[in-house]
Amino acid sequence: LRKLHVLGLPPDWLEGERVGDFWFNERDREILAADFAIRTRFDVAGERARALREWAQAADELVICDSSHGFDGSEREELQGAMLRVSESLGCAVPEVVIGQPRAERLASFELAHLSAPPREVRLPRAAGGASANALRATELDQYSRCAFRSLPSYRWGLEELEEPDIELWVRERGTLLHRAARHMVSDRLGAREAVERAWTDAPPRGMIRSLRAREHAKARLTRVMERFAEQEAAYQLRTEAHPLWLDDHEIDLEFGGIRVKGRPDRVDEVGTGVFVMDYKTGGDHPQGTDTLAVGYGLQLPLYAIAAARETGKPALGAQFVELSRGGTRARGLLFKSQNGKEPGKVSHSRSKLSVLEADPELVWDQCSRWITDHAQAWASGIYDAAPKFSDDCETCPVSDVCGARRRRSLS
């Protein structure tokens, strides 16, 4: 072996908190290593040093290749300390460090050199409409109506974020458990704890490290959320005497502008002579009614309201986001002033001026239907542009790496 190249050696590769079994802190590792198969930082550092020594001894020359800047333009930590530790381990002179130059015209510190930027627009083959075509899903429509590019990686390309096992519930698994628990509380009249236990049995969460203590802690936190849900639900039932029609068990299938749109509402209640839609949410920022009406932002909720009205033949009295959280708020959605208040028969009790609308409900649903048609046809055209309707969404967007928004934000 003439020359051994080592790419991207971390400065703390042979020492520090990142060395050893991550489950325990440094002190615990030192104590437990005497009696259990717990590797201390000295054990791991020794293993790494031996591996590097065996490779280096077989080579005539050792070269450490690194970059002086990270992908976001920030300066990387100096490797001089790491080089001294490597040389001590190998018993040789300090290895040569080659710093990569991305371009001759490299910019000053904390700035990027000339790097290729992700595309701001992607054009794909047009999707056919009609009864035989693949339908636009309600969740995909919702993401597309916020930013077309946001729906591209997850729904069109089928990408998903990989997560590491943890003692905490994954966000998706937590959402599934809370949705199931809410359904059991409404349909089976179970208490908060019983509903959580039933949901856990129905769909054991993936990705959670097996630990009785961690499991019971997670269930206790879910139970507190469902206790708050029970309080809000009792007040709602006292006002409305609502009767659930659909509880995540009915699929809607409508056509807008020649494009099929399908979905499964979390809940649709029959209240008096009308219907009321609820969409359970476990996190994130939910659209205000004025935003949906003005620019067609977040169209999943009005889609379900329109579908419920068409299928039942009864007017949609409103559509509401129900937060499955410790706060348990029900303030946002497409709510109407005539149906909002503490009085008996009122489907909502919200103080949000941005979600309680004074407009005529029929005009609101007609406008939402036009927005759904426009976005469904745009989706069918195959054009995905990175143009969020609200720039603040980029800060929490899960796919901001794909369009380059996170990189641009770090530079600014």
Side-chain angles (χ1 to χ4, degrees):
L1 184 62
R2 294 180 55 189
K3 183 180 289 189
L4 174 65
H5 290 85
V6 178
L7 308 178
L9 179 70
D12 56 352
W13 193 59
L14 292 177
E15 66 175 17
E17 286 294 331
R18 287 173 43 173
V19 179
D21 284 307
F22 300 148
W23 179 266
F24 304 99
N25 60 37
E26 187 171 349
R27 181 175 179 275
D28 290 341
R29 290 199 299 266
E30 302 299 332
I31 295 174
L32 295 172
D35 299 309
F36 300 97
I38 303 298
R39 300 183 303 166
T40 69
R41 65 186 180 92
F42 301 106
D43 297 330
V44 176
E47 293 172 3
R48 293 179 176 180
R50 287 192 295 272
L52 182 59
R53 185 184 304 115
E54 291 177 3
W55 277 98
Q57 288 175 347
D60 296 332
E61 184 180 359
L62 173 64
V63 179
I64 308 294
C65 300
D66 199 23
S67 173
S68 58
H69 292 77
F71 81 95
D72 57 355
S74 59
E75 288 185 328
R76 291 174 58 86
E77 188 177 345
E78 290 289 340
L79 284 175
Q80 189 61 32
M83 291 302 96
L84 290 174
R85 289 186 292 276
V86 170
S87 63
E88 292 172 357
S89 174
L90 299 177
C92 65
V94 177
E96 178 186 3
V97 179
V98 176
I99 299 297
Q101 301 287 338
R103 297 281 180 179
E105 63 272 19
R106 190 181 67 183
L107 305 180
S109 297
F110 297 101
E111 293 184 0
L112 277 179
H114 176 71
L115 294 176
S116 60
R120 301 299 306 278
E121 182 181 283
V122 173
R123 293 177 177 267
L124 298 177
R126 180 178 179 83
S132 61
N134 291 328
L136 171 61
R137 287 167 288 184
T139 51
E140 184 175 4
L141 170 67
D142 191 75
Q143 296 300 309
Y144 192 92
S145 67
R146 298 169 186 243
C147 173
F149 208 98
R150 182 168 179 163
S151 68
L152 176 64
S154 301
Y155 294 96
R156 195 67 183 264
W157 290 341
L159 303 181
E160 64 179 25
E161 184 177 359
L162 297 179
E163 299 186 69
E164 296 287 342
D166 201 346
I167 58 172
E168 298 286 347
L169 288 170
W170 288 351
V171 174
R172 287 174 295 179
E173 299 301 309
R174 180 177 181 274
T176 298
L177 289 170
L178 289 173
H179 276 69
R180 286 178 174 271
R183 178 176 180 176
H184 286 308
M185 291 185 70
V186 174
S187 63
D188 303 330
R189 305 296 182 183
L190 297 182
R193 180 67 184 188
E194 292 80 8
V196 169
E197 291 287 353
R198 178 80 64 84
W200 198 286
T201 302
D202 293 344
R206 300 173 302 153
M208 190 173 188
I209 295 175
R210 293 188 178 183
S211 164
L212 177 61
R213 183 176 179 181
R215 183 172 68 248
E216 292 305 313
H217 177 67
K219 288 182 178 180
R221 294 178 64 179
L222 296 176
T223 300
R224 287 193 290 270
V225 170
M226 298 317 300
E227 288 172 347
R228 178 57 177 165
F229 173 81
E231 294 174 4
Q232 295 284 62
E233 187 66 17
Y236 165 74
Q237 289 291 343
L238 185 62
R239 288 196 317 271
T240 64
E241 297 182 355
H243 173 69
L245 288 178
W246 305 338
L247 287 174
D248 194 24
D249 55 359
H250 181 85
E251 184 174 70
I252 58 108
D253 189 342
L254 303 179
E255 189 170 305
F256 292 86
I259 308 300
R260 290 177 59 210
V261 184
K262 300 174 67 175
R264 194 180 293 271
D266 286 334
R267 179 177 172 184
V268 176
D269 284 357
E270 183 179 27
V271 182
T273 59
V275 290
F276 187 59
V277 176
M278 294 185 183
D279 192 23
Y280 298 142
K281 295 296 182 183
T282 57
D285 194 16
H286 320 310
Q288 297 278 13
T290 51
D291 294 336
T292 302
L293 194 59
V295 295
Y297 178 80
L299 293 174
Q300 182 181 19
L301 192 63
L303 168 69
Y304 291 152
I306 293 170
R310 288 187 187 181
E311 293 199 21
T312 63
K314 298 182 177 182
L317 305 178
Q320 183 180 62
F321 292 111
V322 175
E323 290 189 12
L324 299 179
S325 64
R326 293 289 296 276
T329 60
R330 302 186 177 196
R332 295 193 177 193
L334 288 158
L335 310 173
F336 299 104
K337 190 172 183 179
S338 60
Q339 297 290 338
N340 186 68
K342 297 181 180 179
E343 299 83 6
K346 303 294 186 181
V347 295
S348 63
H349 180 210
S350 170
R351 298 179 180 178
S352 173
K353 296 181 179 180
L354 298 178
S355 285
V356 179
L357 309 175
E358 297 186 9
D360 181 81
E362 290 189 11
L363 297 179
V364 170
W365 300 131
D366 286 344
Q367 178 60 47
C368 289
S369 181
R370 288 192 289 271
W371 280 126
I372 294 172
T373 300
D374 292 344
H375 284 80
Q377 292 177 336
W379 166 83
S381 71
I383 299 176
Y384 294 82
D385 57 334
K389 292 178 179 174
F390 298 101
S391 58
D392 291 347
D393 282 357
C394 293
E395 297 182 6
T396 57
C397 177
V399 298
S400 60
D401 279 331
V402 181
C403 71
R406 189 166 76 91
R407 179 187 298 181
R408 292 190 297 274
R409 189 166 64 249
S410 66
L411 288 177
S412 63

